[in-house]
Amino acid sequence: MRSVLGFLAPKLLRALVAVWLVTTVVFVVMRLSGDPVPLLLPPDAPTSEILRVRHDLGLDRPLPMQYATFVGNALRGDFGRSIHFREPAWSVVVGYLPATLELGLTAFGLALVVAVPIGMLSAIHRNSPVDHAAMGVALVGQSAPTFFLGILFILTLSLKLGWFPTSGRGGWEHLVLPALTLGAFSMASIARLTRSAVLDVLRQDYVRTARAKGLPELAVVAKHTLKNAALPVVTITGLQFGTLLGGAVVTETVFAWPGIGRLAIQSIYNRDYPIVQCTVFLSAILFIVLNFAIDLFYGVLDPRVRPR
Amino acid sequence: MSQLTRRELLKSAATAGAAAALAPALGGSAGAQTTPKRELVVAQGGDIGKLDPHFSTSSNDIRWSFNLFDNLTSRHPDGKLHPGLATEWKLSAPSTWTFKLRAGVKYHNGDPFSSADAKFSIERTYDPNVKTMVATALSTIDRIEAPDATTLVVHTKKPDPLLPARLAFYGGQIVPKKYVESVGNDAFNARPVGTGPVRYVSWTKDDKLVCEANPDYWGGKVDFDRLIMRSIPETAPRIASLLKGEVDVITQLPADQGERVAGNATTRVAGALYAGLYVMAVNSKRPPLDNPLVKQALSHAIDREAIVKELWRGRGVVPSGPIAKGDNHFDPSLPPLAYNPSAARDLLRKAGYKNEEIVIETTVAYLSNDKQMSEAIQGMWRDAGINAKVEVIEYSVRAQKNREKSFKGIFWSDPTSTLGDPDGMMWRLLGPGGPQDYWRHPRFDELGNAARFSVDEKFRGEAYREMTKIFLEHFPWVPVIQPYEDYGLQKYVEFTPNPNQQFEIRRFNFKFKRA
């Protein structure tokens, strides 16, 4: 029990420092880069009116004082009121979360389900046409910007072929294009990594031994290769989840998907400080929890990294 | 830069297979010019922020708030003021407007509308305890009386010829006194109640706002049962959703995308001339721009016809002066600003211009085509012997320079005519202490001030005529274009939009074509 604690405690501490740093940087950068008030008021509002609203929102106080208030409230779970929506920031952000989780998990699942078999297939049949085709597509998937890919999907699969709706959230058919767009990068990198990891393992002595024993190829791959190739794949998969969160910003904007990525972008445009701080905080927590989970999962897969 | 690539992408994709692309997408409904639809779906370019109309002036919010609420007066697509909740109004003393209110109107929750609501609603905008975002919109008002249920008497601090116009725009939406007072401002923002042609049903942020038709609307029930306002922020997907038939109307259609919508078998473009102008505002304190002859040369050296034709695909008109077409006191006899490069060269010689650098500070896509127009004009000026340089600045830098009045020379501005009158446009911005006060002229100031407080429209007309003449000698702005604000519509939608983004949908300007 103690050893588990010893394993977790430093990680937890580092995570807390990371959250604090991220929220602080966002706090300062947002305040230095613009003022929400002219965006709230009509274009003909006089300066006195701008000053009045700045005072009402507490934006005329010195930055360190604003920061102290922010930290004090955040520790109590209060992220302030959205300037744009006039509602508590936390409840606004939480309202956007299901849409992002739905999209992110679907994209992630899609990436895994497609990428791992393709990567394995490519490795087993390396330098065959199958391998070349799969890796060619993966290269495109990895290098095409999300924005480009999203618009391309809308124009071809939606507008030209009429298979899917162009945008918005609704039934499963609304989910396909954004999930494909968001998952494309991860899918490509997971496929490429699976291929090289499997290739690596296939060259190992124990695989040669297994083959020499006369085991059927399927058993060699399923039993001896897969488990050993999984370690690097799990690592990259965990990191990919972070990429997904970042990619959600663009994907959600292109597909008018009402998730927190789009909320974050809109709130930056609107200089809605409380919402931006809250989304960043939530994303940081999510990211850290995931990395944690991956660390633990590592221990399950590889006895050598388990705390002794 | 990314803007450009997006457009390029869209264009190439469009030419690659526009015709072929659309036929299968539209399936059986191809060529449908009529519809049995009872639901109107509108996609706009940004999200709605607040439902309480007194807390927002953003165009994404007012596009629907002018449908849930009524104003006392209403500006129709013809640009004129028409009765709203007030049936008639007149000046009963130089500083007193008396409004006759519509009887028998009910709010969406069944409460009757009366003069007490109008008084409450207007006073709420500048009540320091409510802290609205429209506190200055109606601040010319001194006090309001409601002598009986259908009469409202408004006393202004000074004579205010434009009060009925002010009441037609933001801040003027009439909210229910009893309901707001009983539930409070936050609950009202969450579940708004008005008298307008549609009533609130539900809202999913950044996704869709659902309303249903008010069957008892005093102006007649609108031609649909449900209204859905969606937000699709990117232009390309917004257009795709229209072409595919998922939505009936899209807002904010850029001029260079109009051909895509117009060239499609089932969609069309409808526009309203922008209530305002796109101008190059001039920091007239910086030499050589303090010399009126130089500024006249700048104006003469711009080929506006070419800009309208090439950059705006014809979706705009060449201005004739500082007053937007469609506004009060616009002078139709004035010719459009002329392109005359040889006159420009003569003026420069006369001014003693010694090739001093003139800096154009432009944003990218803050106004449509701002950077493209800057580069085109830089070239035109170079041909006329003017040494101009284009500097690209961020939007936030522009906001700061605007506040500090520190522009180096020329900058873009899109003065909106908030009241359909020169007072709400050139005088508001160019007047002493205004946001673009870089140039003073005693006679111009005297006339602008007198016209602001005069209730004699004949006098005001003469004043603005003379101010225009002074303007055209000094060019505190170099007007470039009055563009159209375009919407994309399904052909089965008959809709005439307003010139000022209000997007009022009423029985008289909206209809589905039925088979």
Short mmCIF file of all heavy atoms in Angstrom, two decimals, chain B residues 355-385:
data_model
loop_
_atom_site.label_atom_id
_atom_site.label_comp_id
_atom_site.label_asym_id
_atom_site.label_seq_id
_atom_site.Cartn_x
_atom_site.Cartn_y
_atom_site.Cartn_z
N ASN B 355 6.22 63.43 -52.10
CA ASN B 355 6.38 61.98 -52.01
C ASN B 355 6.49 61.46 -50.57
O ASN B 355 7.11 60.43 -50.33
CB ASN B 355 7.61 61.55 -52.83
CG ASN B 355 7.40 60.15 -53.41
OD1 ASN B 355 6.27 59.80 -53.77
ND2 ASN B 355 8.45 59.36 -53.46
N GLU B 356 5.90 62.17 -49.61
CA GLU B 356 5.91 61.68 -48.24
C GLU B 356 5.13 60.37 -48.17
O GLU B 356 4.13 60.20 -48.87
CB GLU B 356 5.23 62.69 -47.29
CG GLU B 356 5.98 64.00 -47.13
CD GLU B 356 5.35 65.11 -47.98
OE1 GLU B 356 4.85 64.80 -49.09
OE2 GLU B 356 5.37 66.27 -47.53
N GLU B 357 5.59 59.49 -47.31
CA GLU B 357 4.95 58.18 -47.20
C GLU B 357 3.60 58.29 -46.48
O GLU B 357 3.50 58.95 -45.45
CB GLU B 357 5.86 57.23 -46.43
CG GLU B 357 5.34 55.80 -46.43
CD GLU B 357 6.32 54.87 -45.75
OE1 GLU B 357 6.36 54.84 -44.52
OE2 GLU B 357 7.06 54.19 -46.48
N ILE B 358 2.58 57.65 -47.06
CA ILE B 358 1.27 57.60 -46.42
C ILE B 358 0.98 56.16 -46.05
O ILE B 358 0.99 55.27 -46.91
CB ILE B 358 0.18 58.16 -47.38
CG1 ILE B 358 0.42 59.66 -47.56
CG2 ILE B 358 -1.21 57.88 -46.83
CD1 ILE B 358 -0.43 60.30 -48.63
N VAL B 359 0.78 55.90 -44.75
CA VAL B 359 0.64 54.52 -44.28
C VAL B 359 -0.83 54.13 -44.17
O VAL B 359 -1.63 54.84 -43.55
CB VAL B 359 1.33 54.34 -42.91
CG1 VAL B 359 1.16 52.91 -42.41
CG2 VAL B 359 2.80 54.70 -43.00
N ILE B 360 -1.18 53.01 -44.78
CA ILE B 360 -2.51 52.43 -44.62
C ILE B 360 -2.37 51.31 -43.60
O ILE B 360 -1.68 50.32 -43.85
CB ILE B 360 -3.04 51.83 -45.95
CG1 ILE B 360 -3.03 52.86 -47.07
CG2 ILE B 360 -4.43 51.24 -45.76
CD1 ILE B 360 -3.31 52.27 -48.44
N GLU B 361 -3.00 51.45 -42.45
CA GLU B 361 -2.97 50.38 -41.45
C GLU B 361 -4.23 49.55 -41.60
O GLU B 361 -5.33 50.04 -41.35
CB GLU B 361 -2.85 50.97 -40.05
CG GLU B 361 -1.43 51.47 -39.78
CD GLU B 361 -1.33 52.24 -38.48
OE1 GLU B 361 -1.94 53.32 -38.39
OE2 GLU B 361 -0.66 51.77 -37.56
N THR B 362 -4.06 48.32 -42.03
CA THR B 362 -5.24 47.49 -42.28
C THR B 362 -5.24 46.24 -41.41
O THR B 362 -4.19 45.70 -41.08
CB THR B 362 -5.31 47.07 -43.77
OG1 THR B 362 -6.52 46.34 -43.98
CG2 THR B 362 -4.13 46.19 -44.17
N THR B 363 -6.43 45.82 -41.03
CA THR B 363 -6.60 44.52 -40.40
C THR B 363 -6.83 43.51 -41.51
O THR B 363 -7.00 43.89 -42.67
CB THR B 363 -7.84 44.55 -39.49
OG1 THR B 363 -8.85 45.30 -40.15
CG2 THR B 363 -7.53 45.18 -38.16
N VAL B 364 -6.85 42.23 -41.17
CA VAL B 364 -7.16 41.21 -42.17
C VAL B 364 -8.51 40.60 -41.81
O VAL B 364 -8.65 39.98 -40.77
CB VAL B 364 -6.08 40.12 -42.22
CG1 VAL B 364 -6.42 39.09 -43.28
CG2 VAL B 364 -4.73 40.74 -42.49
N ALA B 365 -9.50 40.87 -42.68
CA ALA B 365 -10.84 40.29 -42.53
C ALA B 365 -11.59 40.78 -41.29
O ALA B 365 -12.55 40.16 -40.86
CB ALA B 365 -10.80 38.76 -42.55
N TYR B 366 -11.16 41.89 -40.70
CA TYR B 366 -12.02 42.54 -39.69
C TYR B 366 -13.21 43.14 -40.42
O TYR B 366 -14.36 42.98 -40.00
CB TYR B 366 -11.21 43.60 -38.93
CG TYR B 366 -12.03 44.63 -38.19
CD1 TYR B 366 -12.90 44.24 -37.17
CD2 TYR B 366 -11.94 45.98 -38.50
CE1 TYR B 366 -13.65 45.18 -36.50
CE2 TYR B 366 -12.69 46.92 -37.81
CZ TYR B 366 -13.54 46.52 -36.82
OH TYR B 366 -14.28 47.45 -36.17
N LEU B 367 -12.93 43.83 -41.53
CA LEU B 367 -13.98 44.16 -42.49
C LEU B 367 -13.78 43.23 -43.68
O LEU B 367 -12.64 42.89 -43.99
CB LEU B 367 -13.84 45.60 -42.99
CG LEU B 367 -13.89 46.72 -41.98
CD1 LEU B 367 -13.88 48.05 -42.72
CD2 LEU B 367 -15.15 46.60 -41.17
N SER B 368 -14.84 42.86 -44.36
CA SER B 368 -14.65 42.03 -45.55
C SER B 368 -13.75 42.78 -46.52
O SER B 368 -13.92 43.98 -46.73
CB SER B 368 -15.97 41.74 -46.25
OG SER B 368 -16.98 41.56 -45.35
N ASN B 369 -12.82 42.07 -47.10
CA ASN B 369 -11.94 42.61 -48.15
C ASN B 369 -11.03 43.76 -47.72
O ASN B 369 -10.52 44.48 -48.57
CB ASN B 369 -12.77 43.08 -49.35
CG ASN B 369 -13.28 41.92 -50.18
OD1 ASN B 369 -12.60 40.90 -50.28
ND2 ASN B 369 -14.45 42.05 -50.76
N ASP B 370 -10.84 43.96 -46.42
CA ASP B 370 -10.05 45.14 -46.01
C ASP B 370 -8.62 45.10 -46.56
O ASP B 370 -8.13 46.07 -47.13
CB ASP B 370 -10.05 45.33 -44.48
CG ASP B 370 -9.81 44.05 -43.69
OD1 ASP B 370 -9.45 43.03 -44.31
OD2 ASP B 370 -9.97 44.08 -42.46
N LYS B 371 -7.96 43.95 -46.42
CA LYS B 371 -6.57 43.87 -46.89
C LYS B 371 -6.52 43.94 -48.42
O LYS B 371 -5.68 44.66 -48.98
CB LYS B 371 -5.93 42.58 -46.39
CG LYS B 371 -4.48 42.42 -46.79
CD LYS B 371 -3.74 41.49 -45.86
CE LYS B 371 -2.32 41.24 -46.34
NZ LYS B 371 -2.27 40.17 -47.34
N GLN B 372 -7.43 43.23 -49.08
CA GLN B 372 -7.44 43.25 -50.54
C GLN B 372 -7.66 44.68 -51.05
O GLN B 372 -7.01 45.13 -52.00
CB GLN B 372 -8.55 42.34 -51.08
CG GLN B 372 -8.31 40.84 -50.82
CD GLN B 372 -8.90 40.39 -49.50
OE1 GLN B 372 -8.93 41.13 -48.52
NE2 GLN B 372 -9.37 39.15 -49.45
N MET B 373 -8.62 45.39 -50.42
CA MET B 373 -8.88 46.77 -50.86
C MET B 373 -7.67 47.65 -50.60
O MET B 373 -7.33 48.51 -51.43
CB MET B 373 -10.12 47.32 -50.15
CG MET B 373 -11.43 46.70 -50.63
SD MET B 373 -12.90 47.63 -50.10
CE MET B 373 -12.92 47.33 -48.35
N SER B 374 -7.00 47.44 -49.46
CA SER B 374 -5.82 48.25 -49.14
C SER B 374 -4.76 48.09 -50.23
O SER B 374 -4.17 49.06 -50.69
CB SER B 374 -5.21 47.81 -47.81
OG SER B 374 -6.14 47.94 -46.78
N GLU B 375 -4.54 46.84 -50.63
CA GLU B 375 -3.49 46.59 -51.62
C GLU B 375 -3.88 47.14 -52.98
O GLU B 375 -3.05 47.71 -53.70
CB GLU B 375 -3.20 45.08 -51.70
CG GLU B 375 -2.37 44.63 -50.50
CD GLU B 375 -2.39 43.14 -50.26
OE1 GLU B 375 -3.17 42.43 -50.94
OE2 GLU B 375 -1.63 42.68 -49.38
N ALA B 376 -5.17 47.01 -53.34
CA ALA B 376 -5.63 47.55 -54.62
C ALA B 376 -5.46 49.06 -54.64
O ALA B 376 -4.96 49.65 -55.61
CB ALA B 376 -7.09 47.16 -54.85
N ILE B 377 -5.85 49.70 -53.52
CA ILE B 377 -5.79 51.16 -53.47
C ILE B 377 -4.34 51.64 -53.43
O ILE B 377 -3.99 52.64 -54.07
CB ILE B 377 -6.61 51.68 -52.26
CG1 ILE B 377 -8.10 51.47 -52.55
CG2 ILE B 377 -6.31 53.15 -51.98
CD1 ILE B 377 -9.00 51.70 -51.37
N GLN B 378 -3.49 50.89 -52.76
CA GLN B 378 -2.06 51.24 -52.75
C GLN B 378 -1.54 51.30 -54.19
O GLN B 378 -0.83 52.24 -54.56
CB GLN B 378 -1.28 50.19 -51.96
CG GLN B 378 0.21 50.48 -51.91
CD GLN B 378 1.01 49.28 -51.39
OE1 GLN B 378 0.56 48.14 -51.51
NE2 GLN B 378 2.15 49.55 -50.82
N GLY B 379 -1.94 50.32 -55.00
CA GLY B 379 -1.51 50.30 -56.40
C GLY B 379 -2.06 51.48 -57.18
O GLY B 379 -1.35 52.12 -57.96
N MET B 380 -3.35 51.78 -56.97
CA MET B 380 -3.97 52.90 -57.69
C MET B 380 -3.29 54.22 -57.31
O MET B 380 -3.07 55.09 -58.15
CB MET B 380 -5.46 52.98 -57.34
CG MET B 380 -6.27 51.80 -57.85
SD MET B 380 -7.92 51.78 -57.09
CE MET B 380 -8.54 50.21 -57.70
N TRP B 381 -2.97 54.33 -56.03
CA TRP B 381 -2.32 55.56 -55.56
C TRP B 381 -0.92 55.68 -56.14
O TRP B 381 -0.47 56.77 -56.50
CB TRP B 381 -2.29 55.59 -54.02
CG TRP B 381 -3.62 55.96 -53.43
CD1 TRP B 381 -4.73 56.36 -54.11
CD2 TRP B 381 -3.99 55.98 -52.04
NE1 TRP B 381 -5.77 56.61 -53.25
CE2 TRP B 381 -5.34 56.39 -51.96
CE3 TRP B 381 -3.32 55.68 -50.85
CZ2 TRP B 381 -6.02 56.51 -50.75
CZ3 TRP B 381 -4.00 55.81 -49.65
CH2 TRP B 381 -5.34 56.22 -49.59
N ARG B 382 -0.22 54.54 -56.20
CA ARG B 382 1.13 54.57 -56.76
C ARG B 382 1.07 55.09 -58.20
O ARG B 382 1.87 55.94 -58.60
CB ARG B 382 1.74 53.17 -56.73
CG ARG B 382 3.24 53.19 -56.99
CD ARG B 382 3.82 51.80 -57.25
NE ARG B 382 3.46 50.81 -56.25
CZ ARG B 382 2.71 49.73 -56.48
NH1 ARG B 382 2.24 49.51 -57.68
NH2 ARG B 382 2.45 48.88 -55.51
N ASP B 383 0.07 54.62 -58.97
CA ASP B 383 -0.06 55.07 -60.36
C ASP B 383 -0.29 56.56 -60.45
O ASP B 383 0.04 57.20 -61.43
CB ASP B 383 -1.21 54.33 -61.05
CG ASP B 383 -0.90 52.84 -61.20
OD1 ASP B 383 0.28 52.47 -61.01
OD2 ASP B 383 -1.83 52.06 -61.47
N ALA B 384 -0.92 57.14 -59.41
CA ALA B 384 -1.19 58.57 -59.44
C ALA B 384 -0.05 59.37 -58.78
O ALA B 384 -0.17 60.58 -58.60
CB ALA B 384 -2.50 58.86 -58.72
N GLY B 385 1.01 58.68 -58.39
CA GLY B 385 2.15 59.37 -57.81
C GLY B 385 2.09 59.55 -56.31
O GLY B 385 2.72 60.44 -55.75
#
